[in-house]
Amino acid sequence: MLRRLTPVLLTLVVVALGVTALAARPDSGAPARSADFVVLAGVAGLRWDDVDPQTTPTLWRMAEAGSIGSLSTRSAHRPTCPVDGWLTLGAGNYAAWNGTRRVGGCPAAGVTVEQPDGIGANLPDQESVVAYNQDRLSWGTTPGALSESVRCSVAVGPGAAVAAARPFGRVDRYAPVLPADPAGLLGSCVLSIVDLGTVDADAPAVRAAQARQADAQLARVLAARPPRSLVLVAGVSDTDAASRLHVAVADGPGWERGWLTSPSTAREGYLQLVDLAPTALATLGRPMPERLFVGRPAVSVGGRPADLRAAIDAPADADREAGAQLRVAGWFFTLLAAAQVALAVAVLPLLRRARRHAGPHGPEPVSRRVVAAVELLLIAAALAVPAALLADAVPWWRGHHAGWWFGVVTALLTVGGTAAVRFSPGHGSTLGPLGAVAGLATLVVGVDVVTGSRLQLNGVVGYSALEGGRYAGLGTVGLGVFIAGALLTGGWLAQRVRRAWRPMVMVAVAGGAVVVVGSPYLGADSIGAIALTAGVSVAAAICSGGWLTVSRLAWATMAGLAVTIGFAVVDLRRAEAERGSVGRFLAALGDGTGGLTVHRASTANMETLVNSPLTLLALAGAALVWFALLQPWGGLMRLFGIYPAIRAAMAGTGVAAGLGGVLGGSALDVAGAAAALVVPMAALAALRVLDHSTDRTLPGNGRPWDEGPAGPAGGPGGGGDHPGGGATPDAEPGAPARPDAATGPDGDPGDPDPARPTAPAGRQAAGAGRPPRVPAQARPASTEVPTA
């Protein structure tokens, strides 16, 4: 009865863990009305390294009194050119100006502003811009949504006119430049948008002069600001092909001496360009057009250093790191993919010759030194991504040759991790390196996530704030490594306990990983948590042996669906501003706009599939597994038969990584990151299983047939792959051992029936059942205690 209820109980446990992880959400702290006027002042290209007390004294004093942050200027085009940035600011959504774009840089704005009455203005191109954003782009953006949400708005300068123009092109109040006394103009409407100029020069002296001119304009704005007003200064765009983080400063009631952040980033000191429009409306207490805005209102939080120079150094350093990350990440993953493909090719002949033969004929075995060297390379390859993540604890991006510094630090950490695995207890066993590598990878990623994901942000194997996709929690590569590490660790631990306890061990270990991935306070990846739930369910269903039957697959599917439905119900009951990705998608399906989300996800999947080096890692890993490791000579089928919990962990990893990538819009990136860890360890374990394929054990005490009281390893029972020496790994403690792959009661090859002692085939003795003594010369040359 209990055995029949086990799938039901495990499903309930996994569902409870998944929904618990996803249901709780931190308080967003959305601001209430705090000002009567809002002034948005933009400077295209302004960065934090342009700000200092001598060049920009006004901005320096404003930053000292107000709240500051790093602004990601993502728009619908990359890079975000000035006209795209201004349009995105006024839309509260990712927007882009239609027209041709110059390769490698930003063209001149080319915006026509007409003033037919001397009060307002008109943009004759606005109708085509609106049509372009709604018909050609996948964000459903409505340019001018911010100005439509207030009764009256002011624009000063052509960039501000683009932001303030209503969808039909009308600007309520317009001035091409700041008047001599701008107080009357800025006080005529509750919302004013001011174009302070552009900082785009490469020469330091020219750039400083441009920043100084913008600062002088800002001084006039601050002098004429209306009473009880919030002034927001933002570097609204990039100015060339290199994306950067830009300045964001807020000064007004309730914005004193803090860090700027928003629920869209969930990271102190970071906000997006699309957050400025909802911030303005929230500050004014105006209704929010939730379905038009993708940003969230910014807030000010404490914790900023008292010294402004120390506070500004943090976003400036983040800008340098983000820029270096974009340059280094491409070649790192390309080199990693090339190295793993080369290593896979080198492993093939070793697999062919790894299985030793007891007779006089057979291929000559490969030198032990060569095999040991290849094993170390496989361990190093599996640890490369965790080492690259850990490398961001060292400020490698501050040097002149950032890429070389990153390579040196990553290489040293990889060597250190490989040495730790090599000299760890149990390294000589078949599953020893796999368990050590999986544990290290899970520990590195898990500790980083629990401590705030500081290594993920702007890290080479993390995510970039310049891309605007994620600012906190677990990234795509980290998700793949964490999924693989957690499931392999669970499989390694489950293999060491009785068969009946294995599903519980798998659920306990990997279920904890679901909480880490899905909790908004930690991994903040609801799609990843749902995918991992399905993977855990598959792994728990088959970790005790047997095949993935229809009933077991059904329970796994039900667990994943139950988590999805449970979280969706909870998420849909929240306010629109508080919903997660699943709730927003289901709400979009309800109002008929879900097609845009599906289109964006499919487009992202296709772009990632074609452009990402991780695609090559995933395909190369799949090819090695299918065409080599799963072949009769490849050893993986034998590994799966002897260690069903490892088979379950790898199957669950495949399910979770595949679902997580496709549903999350990252195609094979999650699978590629998981393959970088799993495939080298699978190859190493297969090599060791093949090396022991002809060994034999005694049915009674697990020792080789001709060994004395101590096995060849010099200890009781020898140096087998598992507790109990040379006994088969699935035998219960105290049960007789078996020498070779018999079929257990559940049909799993190599998973023996503990109640049935079995002697080696062809050696069955009469009477007491003890086989005859085998001459020493007929035994294999192995000096290790066998495992299979």
Side-chain angles (χ1 to χ4, degrees):
M1 184 66 178
L2 181 60
R3 186 174 181 180
R4 293 181 179 179
L5 290 177
T6 297
V8 180
L9 296 176
L10 290 177
T11 300
L12 293 176
V13 170
V14 174
V15 168
L17 288 172
V19 175
T20 301
L22 296 172
R25 301 195 69 85
D27 183 12
S28 64
R33 176 189 174 104
S34 61
D36 296 330
F37 297 88
V38 171
V39 179
L40 294 174
V43 186
L46 183 66
R47 304 193 299 262
W48 277 113
D49 53 13
D50 298 320
V51 179
D52 61 61
Q54 292 74 38
T55 305
T56 56
T58 304
L59 186 58
W60 183 270
R61 289 191 298 270
M62 181 181 175
E64 196 166 30
S67 296
I68 64 174
S70 295
L71 182 69
S72 173
T73 58
R74 177 186 174 187
S75 69
H77 281 165
R78 296 183 184 179
T80 297
C81 293
V83 66
D84 301 323
W86 286 111
L87 195 66
T88 299
L89 170 63
N93 200 342
Y94 305 115
W97 192 267
N98 58 323
T100 59
R101 299 178 64 85
R102 187 177 65 195
V103 178
C106 292
V111 177
T112 302
V113 181
E114 299 176 347
Q115 292 182 269
D117 53 12
I119 299 174
N122 184 60
L123 269 64
D125 298 327
Q126 185 76 345
E127 183 178 351
S128 64
V129 171
V130 171
Y132 174 76
N133 279 270
Q134 295 190 341
D135 299 338
R136 301 285 299 277
L137 302 180
S138 59
W139 292 100
T141 302
T142 300
L146 173 59
S147 57
E148 279 287 282
S149 302
V150 296
R151 184 177 60 84
C152 174
S153 60
V154 171
V156 179
V162 172
R166 297 179 183 271
F168 51 88
R170 176 68 179 176
V171 180
D172 300 327
R173 302 280 192 276
Y174 179 71
V177 295
L178 274 174
D181 182 9
L185 180 64
L186 297 180
S188 62
C189 295
V190 295
L191 174 66
S192 299
I193 305 175
V194 182
D195 183 354
L196 297 179
T198 301
V199 179
D200 60 356
D202 294 326
V206 180
R207 189 174 186 89
Q210 293 175 331
R212 189 177 296 108
Q213 183 178 2
D215 189 74
Q217 295 287 90
L218 175 63
R220 297 176 61 197
V221 171
L222 293 179
R225 65 189 294 181
R228 281 189 50 81
S229 62
L230 169 66
V231 178
L232 281 166
V233 178
V236 295
S237 73
D238 299 311
T239 55
D240 54 30
S243 297
R244 303 292 294 269
L245 293 174
H246 297 275
V247 167
V249 182
D251 180 44
W255 300 85
E256 296 84 4
R257 295 180 177 272
W259 290 114
L260 290 174
T261 186
S262 83
S264 73
T265 64
R267 173 80 69 172
E268 291 183 5
Y270 287 85
L271 72 160
Q272 300 187 75
L273 182 60
V274 293
D275 296 329
L276 299 185
T279 300
L281 293 186
T283 302
L284 294 171
R286 298 302 174 93
M288 198 79 61
E290 296 287 352
R291 295 179 184 176
L292 297 181
F293 288 176
V294 297
R296 293 292 179 264
V299 294
S300 176
V301 296
R304 199 185 91 179
D307 179 45
L308 182 58
R309 172 51 64 190
I312 286 180
D313 284 344
D317 191 55
D319 178 38
R320 287 191 293 271
E321 182 183 4
Q325 187 256 14
L326 290 181
R327 298 192 301 269
V328 174
W331 67 256
F332 169 76
F333 284 111
T334 301
L335 289 178
L336 178 63
Q340 294 228 3
V341 169
L343 195 55
V345 173
V347 165
L348 293 179
L350 298 184
L351 291 170
R352 282 286 192 179
R353 299 167 64 180
R355 187 177 184 122
R356 292 186 283 164
H357 292 254
H361 302 289
E364 182 180 353
V366 179
S367 167
R368 288 289 182 184
R369 292 184 177 180
V370 173
V371 174
V374 171
E375 287 185 351
L376 290 178
L377 290 176
L378 289 170
I379 294 171
L383 290 175
V385 175
L389 177 64
L390 199 57
D392 280 289
V394 179
W396 54 267
W397 57 88
R398 296 177 186 170
H400 291 293
H401 303 286
W404 287 104
W405 282 112
F406 171 78
V408 169
V409 173
T410 302
L412 291 175
L413 290 172
T414 302
V415 171
T418 303
V421 173
R422 171 61 183 83
F423 295 107
S424 63
H427 173 77
S429 63
T430 298
L431 298 183
L434 183 147
V437 168
L440 272 178
T442 307
L443 183 66
V444 169
V445 179
V447 169
D448 177 47
V449 171
V450 171
T451 56
S453 301
R454 300 184 184 277
L455 302 180
Q456 300 269 334
L457 179 64
N458 296 325
V460 171
V461 297
Y463 39 79
S464 172
L466 299 177
E467 298 294 327
R470 175 174 284 270
Y471 301 84
L474 196 58
T476 298
V477 178
L479 176 63
V481 173
F482 193 67
I483 284 174
L487 285 170
L488 285 181
T489 301
W492 181 77
L493 291 173
Q495 190 61 50
R496 304 175 68 85
V497 301
R498 291 177 180 269
R499 187 186 306 179
W501 288 96
R502 289 176 189 166
M504 289 69 174
V505 172
M506 184 69 75
V507 168
V509 176
V514 172
V515 175
V516 172
V517 172
S519 171
Y521 299 92
L522 299 174
D525 189 346
S526 56
I527 299 298
I530 292 170
L532 182 54
T533 299
V536 173
S537 302
V538 168
I542 63 175
C543 67
S544 58
W547 304 107
L548 184 60
T549 61
V550 174
S551 61
R552 290 175 171 180
L553 183 61
W555 282 115
T557 305
M558 288 174 60
L561 289 176
V563 171
T564 306
I565 294 171
F567 174 60
V569 171
V570 174
D571 209 21
L572 282 173
R573 298 182 65 179
R574 298 190 180 103
E576 287 191 55
E578 303 298 323
R579 289 174 183 164
S581 56
V582 176
R584 290 196 298 269
F585 173 66
L586 293 177
L589 287 179
D591 61 29
T593 60
L596 293 174
T597 304
V598 174
H599 177 63
R600 287 197 299 269
S602 59
T603 301
N605 275 320
M606 184 58 62
E607 291 178 355
T608 305
L609 184 68
V610 174
N611 299 323
S612 175
L614 286 169
T615 300
L616 179 59
L617 267 176
L619 296 179
L624 177 65
V625 170
W626 183 258
F627 293 108
L629 297 180
L630 285 177
Q631 297 305 309
W633 49 269
L636 196 58
M637 292 299 293
R638 184 176 184 86
L639 179 75
F640 287 168
I642 300 172
Y643 305 103
I646 300 302
R647 177 190 63 172
M650 292 186 181
T653 299
V655 170
L659 286 177
V662 173
L663 297 180
S666 56
L668 297 179
D669 276 9
V670 178
L677 176 68
V678 173
V679 175
M681 289 297 95
L684 190 154
L687 282 172
R688 293 195 168 185
V689 165
L690 290 173
D691 186 54
H692 297 306
S693 60
T694 54
D695 293 348
R696 293 293 182 265
T697 58
L698 276 175
N701 56 17
R703 299 192 185 105
W705 294 104
D706 273 357
E707 297 296 341
D721 296 340
H722 48 274
T728 50
D730 283 329
E732 303 289 353
R738 285 195 317 157
D740 212 343
T743 302
D746 55 4
D748 184 29
D751 196 15
D753 183 355
R756 184 182 64 191
T758 308
R763 291 179 170 180
Q764 190 71 35
R770 184 177 180 85
R773 188 178 180 86
V774 181
Q777 63 268 24
R779 295 197 310 272
S782 173
T783 59
E784 291 194 33
V785 175
T787 61

